[in-house]
Amino acid sequence: MAIGILLVGGMGTRLKPLTNQTPKPMLPVGGLPVTERQLLAAKKAGINSVILATSYLSEVFTPYFGDGSKWGMKLLYAVEKEPLGTGGAIRNAADLIDFADATEEFVIFNGDVLSGHDIAAQIAFHKANKADATLHLIEVADARAFGCVPTDSTGRVLDFLEKMENPVTNAINAGCYVFNPSVISQIPEGKVVSIERETFPQLVKSARPVFGYNEQSYWLDIGTPAALFQGSRDIVGEGFIAGSGSVIGQNSVITGGTSIGQGSTIGANCKITNSIIGDGVSIGDNCSIADSFILHNSHLASASEIIGKYISPTENLPISL
Ligand code: GDD
Ligand code: MG
């Protein structure tokens, strides 16, 4: 079975202040961290062993995921003291195992993507083409913020152009790659390397078989506050969801795709809309909350008015969605 590598070490700068205390992939969408949703998707495709490539706030992952047995998976952690970039992170993670002798493919995931695509079909496409690398591609209206990936009629990748002003196609790198071990061997060890700006262009230039797997399914990069809230609303739907052990007081009205984590308490007569509320949060009576992110274990006094805010146990900062 293929081995997964999740790239979860980025700084999440565009998501600040939401990433002040939480690495981007651990932010909850629809009540579960993005990373957990990705692990579930990987498992569905038969990937049971996954290496988490961590750097920024690396200490947050292990207490939550442990050895993975809770999910019936085997998890390993590769920690970069200094971020090694996407390529360096892949190499560093693969070095935890005897990857050069591996007969299986590696499946690499950008850790900030919610994708409904069929990972098993992507792996099958990779094998059918005898490819060295196969990238999931999707079409977007504006490709400028992404890796632009032109292909020929057979799906063979002709070029890889990371974040260009005048995109040559709307097909972009959706952030999920199937790699043969030989591709990982090519990434230099212990160095900062960008898979997008260095490895992919080199592979294409040296005429290695790199393919694009097109599947236009649900896809979202949660890299900004607006996108994170969108992703959470997409999972929740119109109303709200609340995790196990959460209690909602009388006459409280919760709408707009709000998600509430586990073991949180909402007082009576509250109005909450379009918000993300973590685990173990306590909110007093008569509160009004809109367009806000309330981090795990935060406390809000009765009659609080919270509009467009990031609240943590130690911070209260504005956010714009
Ligand atoms: N371990 C580790 N170390 N992870 C990293 C590092 C690092 O040094 N740098 C980035 N990452 C992780 C981030 O946490 C994120 O999950 C993923 O790598 C991609 O980084 P982003 O910073 O989110 O990149 P992007 O969104 O601008 O662009 C990438 O994703 C697009 C699709 O969403 C590129 O891969 C584009 O080509 C692609 O289109
Ligand atoms: Mg991203």
Side-chain angles (χ1 to χ4, degrees):
M1 270 304 144
I3 297 158
I5 296 177
L6 252 58
L7 299 175
V8 291
M11 301 278 292
T13 313
R14 284 168 300 159
L15 269 159
K16 280 193 170 296
L18 306 186
T19 46
N20 281 356
Q21 298 171 55
T22 313
K24 166 168 72 167
M26 287 303 283
L27 291 170
V29 283
L32 291 183
V34 181
T35 299
E36 187 168 357
R37 294 196 175 276
Q38 289 192 306
L39 287 176
L40 293 170
K43 188 168 184 219
K44 203 171 136 203
I47 301 166
N48 293 314
S49 297
V50 173
I51 307 171
L52 297 185
T54 68
S55 182
Y56 176 65
L57 295 175
S58 57
E59 65 279 9
V60 176
F61 293 90
T62 324
Y64 190 90
F65 292 110
D67 64 0
S69 50
K70 191 173 157 194
W71 289 266
M73 300 177 82
K74 189 174 165 218
L75 296 187
L76 295 174
Y77 299 86
V79 185
E80 298 147 48
K81 282 201 201 79
E82 296 296 330
L84 288 171
T86 46
I90 294 168
R91 173 69 202 229
N92 185 59
D95 275 334
L96 276 189
I97 58 175
D98 280 337
F99 77 88
D101 295 332
T103 49
E104 295 298 334
E105 293 78 18
F106 286 80
V107 183
I108 322 294
F109 298 88
N110 278 355
D112 59 346
V113 168
L114 295 173
S115 176
H117 83 285
D118 185 339
I119 300 163
Q122 184 182 351
I123 298 171
F125 185 76
H126 175 82
K127 288 183 176 167
N129 286 312
K130 297 194 173 26
D132 280 351
T134 300
L135 288 65
H136 174 213
L137 306 182
I138 56 145
E139 294 206 354
V140 295
D142 182 356
R144 284 176 300 176
F146 302 104
C148 193
V149 188
T151 52
D152 71 12
S153 58
T154 67
R156 190 150 175 167
V157 171
L158 300 172
D159 212 345
F160 192 104
L161 304 148
E162 182 69 8
K163 300 190 178 84
M164 66 185 317
E165 254 323 294
N166 300 301
V168 295
T169 165
N170 289 336
I172 61 133
N173 167 26
C176 176
Y177 326 125
V178 184
F179 279 0
N180 286 350
S182 66
V183 171
I184 297 179
S185 308
Q186 181 171 326
I187 304 170
E189 237 182 307
K191 267 184 65 179
V192 177
V193 179
S194 162
I195 205 80
E196 297 89 351
R197 294 182 193 277
E198 296 169 70
T199 314
F200 285 138
Q202 280 162 13
L203 286 172
V204 173
K205 212 169 159 200
S206 49
R208 298 270 291 272
V210 180
F211 279 78
Y213 168 76
N214 287 278
E215 187 184 321
Q216 203 67 18
S217 44
Y218 180 84
W219 187 88
L220 186 71
D221 175 322
I222 55 94
T224 62
L228 179 82
F229 276 65
Q230 176 70 55
S232 198
R233 278 196 309 270
D234 288 343
I235 292 166
V236 175
E238 294 283 302
F240 77 99
I241 56 164
S244 63
S246 286
V247 179
I248 294 159
Q250 272 195 338
N251 298 324
S252 283
V253 180
I254 307 176
T255 56
T258 293
S259 83
I260 300 168
Q262 299 181 14
S264 291
T265 308
I266 316 288
N269 303 311
C270 291
K271 280 196 174 55
I272 305 179
T273 190
N274 189 31
S275 293
I276 298 177
I277 296 172
D279 304 331
V281 168
S282 77
I283 294 174
D285 297 337
N286 304 307
C287 289
S288 194
I289 302 172
D291 310 328
S292 293
F293 184 100
I294 319 287
L295 189 62
H296 308 310
N297 306 317
S298 299
H299 172 75
L300 290 178
S302 293
S304 298
E305 287 243 354
I306 307 289
I307 317 286
K309 287 284 179 65
Y310 163 75
I311 307 280
S312 82
T314 52
E315 294 169 295
N316 178 334
L317 297 164
I319 54 171
S320 60
L321 296 182

